[in-house]
Amino acid sequence: MPGRRLAGTVMVETKKLMRALAGEVQAVPPVWLMRQAGRYLPEYKATRARAGDFLSLCYTPELAAEVTLQPIRRYGFDAAILFADILLVPQALGADLWFVTGEGPRLSTVTSRADFDALKPADAIHETLAPVYETVRILTRELPDETALIGFAGAPWTVATYMTAGRGTPDQAPAHALREGEPAVFDALMARLTEATIDYLSMQIEAGAEVVKLFDSWAGSLKGEAFARYALEPAKTIIGAVKAKHPEIPVIAFPREAGERYVGFAKATGADCVALDNSVSAEWAAENVQVDGCVQGNLDPRHMVTGGQPLIDETKRIKAAFSKGPHIFNLGHGITPEADPENVHAMLEAIRG
Ligand code: CP3
């Protein structure tokens, strides 16, 4: 069992998530869910109503900590993920950000040199993001001893897709247009986001995050050389810089829909674990990705809506496929508002027995 040496004694790592990230193969894998704090839970909706709106919830540490803890109390997941959003970083850099109910995020856009020049420097983000660090500090006191605390940020490419379009897009066309049409502006934006992400993750770690995750939700629209330049390289830079300051902190990378570009991604970037979406089969990923170390994933989130025997069968199949290496059970993407909270219990029963 991996342990840390402290003043002549060996501290045995008891958290299942940390053990998987250190490479341990466990008969029952640790489990948590992307978006585990969210609108499928009535207690989340009640706290969000108290906060008034989503961004007020993110910036009110007591309430953000409360919604982080809700799925831990209800399900006993092996990890809690800090409640915040990847789009708080652009807001902290000076972009306007608001959420349209039923539609999603809206931001002021960066599509020219003048827009870029109006952004704040990376080290200015902490003024806006200080409440997030306070949420982390509250959680380090309130989480059960066996629950690991995950901090996170959006990867530069994914955050840049929202900053260039001003909203979510099906094909990330505005970001592709800017990187091709104005490469100097786009590269400057990527560099600013990379620096801000390093600072942001480092502050979360200093506040008490034990693991950090980098969400590159739109990595799948980058192919070939563009994938290397805008997904792999920034991840490598961020992971290298975070680990230079905090070598003991494991990093989970999620280049969603990378497909065959998942192969070798952990080795190339220094990530301790690669999170898999549900477009790749667990059997393929065990053979081609898990050979390099821990993987996370990858149940289709639709099973949380539809439930029944297919949910049980798929859960067991994924657990079995990854049983020969280190594995963290999760979905391939976030749980959706239509999910039935009872289906999460059924999934946990299928994993833990
Ligand atoms: O429980 C957790 O996973 C932690 C909190 C968390 C949220 N967003 C809360 C949230 C995390 C880790 C994120 C990451 C995030 N945010 C990503 C990357 C992961 C992914 O899903 O691909 C992205 C792309 C965003 C940007 C974002 N935030 C969008 C596109 C939306 C609107 C879509 C939606 O689901 O409403 C959000 C809003 C958001 N972030 C909600 C939550 C719980 C819903 C807000 C609400 O309560 O109305």
Side-chain angles (χ1 to χ4, degrees):
M1 208 183 280
R4 262 181 301 151
R5 209 164 260 289
L6 197 75
T9 58
V10 172
M11 285 171 48
V12 174
E13 182 56 70
T14 53
K15 300 187 184 190
K16 283 179 73 69
L17 188 97
M18 304 309 286
R19 284 161 52 192
L21 288 166
E24 189 180 321
V25 184
Q26 299 173 71
V28 175
V31 52
W32 68 280
L33 301 184
M34 284 187 264
R35 289 281 175 97
Q36 62 192 16
R39 287 162 293 180
Y40 73 109
L41 293 179
E43 58 268 36
Y44 169 84
K45 284 190 268 195
T47 309
R48 186 175 176 276
R50 261 177 75 198
D53 58 61
F54 174 67
L55 284 175
S56 303
L57 180 54
C58 290
Y59 288 123
T60 308
E62 295 71 25
L63 298 183
E66 166 59 22
V67 294
T68 307
L69 290 163
Q70 285 168 351
I72 308 306
R73 289 190 201 114
R74 192 187 261 257
Y75 300 116
F77 288 127
D78 295 291
I81 182 159
L82 164 68
F83 191 84
D85 197 84
I86 67 164
L87 300 178
L88 303 187
V89 167
Q91 187 177 39
L93 287 170
D96 294 328
L97 171 69
W98 67 102
F99 282 81
V100 179
T101 310
E103 290 189 29
R106 295 290 183 276
L107 300 88
S108 53
T109 57
V110 176
T111 57
S112 68
R113 174 59 67 175
D115 294 338
F116 174 77
D117 287 342
L119 293 176
K120 295 180 193 173
D123 61 8
I125 61 171
H126 307 305
E127 204 182 309
T128 301
L129 297 172
V132 177
Y133 312 140
E134 182 56 25
T135 305
V136 174
R137 282 190 285 272
I138 295 172
L139 288 167
T140 60
R141 296 193 295 269
E142 297 200 352
L143 278 168
D145 290 344
E146 65 276 15
T147 315
L149 177 57
I150 305 174
F152 74 92
W157 165 253
T158 286
V159 175
T161 66
Y162 288 95
M163 292 181 83
T164 50
R167 57 188 300 161
T169 47
D171 53 4
Q172 298 76 59
H176 288 290
L178 191 68
R179 74 173 176 80
E180 279 160 8
E182 299 260 19
V185 173
F186 193 75
D187 286 350
L189 178 60
M190 289 291 288
R192 180 69 51 84
L193 289 170
T194 299
E195 194 188 340
T197 304
I198 293 165
D199 285 5
Y200 183 42
L201 292 175
S202 301
M203 290 293 277
Q204 291 180 30
I205 292 165
E206 280 150 38
E210 299 168 281
V211 179
V212 291
K213 180 168 174 185
L214 198 56
F215 285 91
D216 212 348
S217 304
W218 298 116
S221 77
L222 295 164
K223 313 288 177 198
E225 180 51 34
F227 181 85
R229 181 159 169 188
Y230 300 113
L232 193 148
E233 280 302 323
K236 183 180 173 184
T237 303
I238 291 164
I239 294 167
V242 168
K243 283 186 176 275
K245 288 190 233 180
H246 302 286
E248 74 291 357
I249 299 295
V251 181
I252 304 172
F254 183 34
R256 191 170 75 89
E257 295 198 349
E260 58 191 31
R261 298 181 298 284
Y262 273 124
V263 178
F265 192 85
K267 264 192 185 158
T269 59
D272 300 87
C273 175
V274 175
L276 303 160
D277 67 84
N278 47 280
S279 71
V280 293
S281 84
E283 291 75 13
W284 174 85
E287 214 169 287
N288 293 284
V289 187
Q290 198 186 27
V291 285
D292 290 339
C294 189
V295 293
Q296 177 180 284
N298 71 340
L299 181 67
D300 188 331
R302 271 178 304 186
H303 287 293
M304 294 294 124
V305 182
T306 51
Q309 197 58 40
L311 160 63
I312 308 300
D313 292 346
E314 272 295 285
T315 299
K316 289 187 173 166
R317 187 183 65 81
I318 290 166
K319 179 184 166 187
F322 289 127
S323 64
K324 293 185 187 66
H327 176 219
I328 298 165
F329 198 98
N330 205 312
L331 306 178
H333 202 188
I335 187 167
T336 56
E338 309 76 45
D340 180 347
E342 283 313 308
N343 287 335
V344 180
H345 283 300
M347 179 203 73
L348 287 170
E349 175 66 22
I351 297 168
R352 293 172 171 170

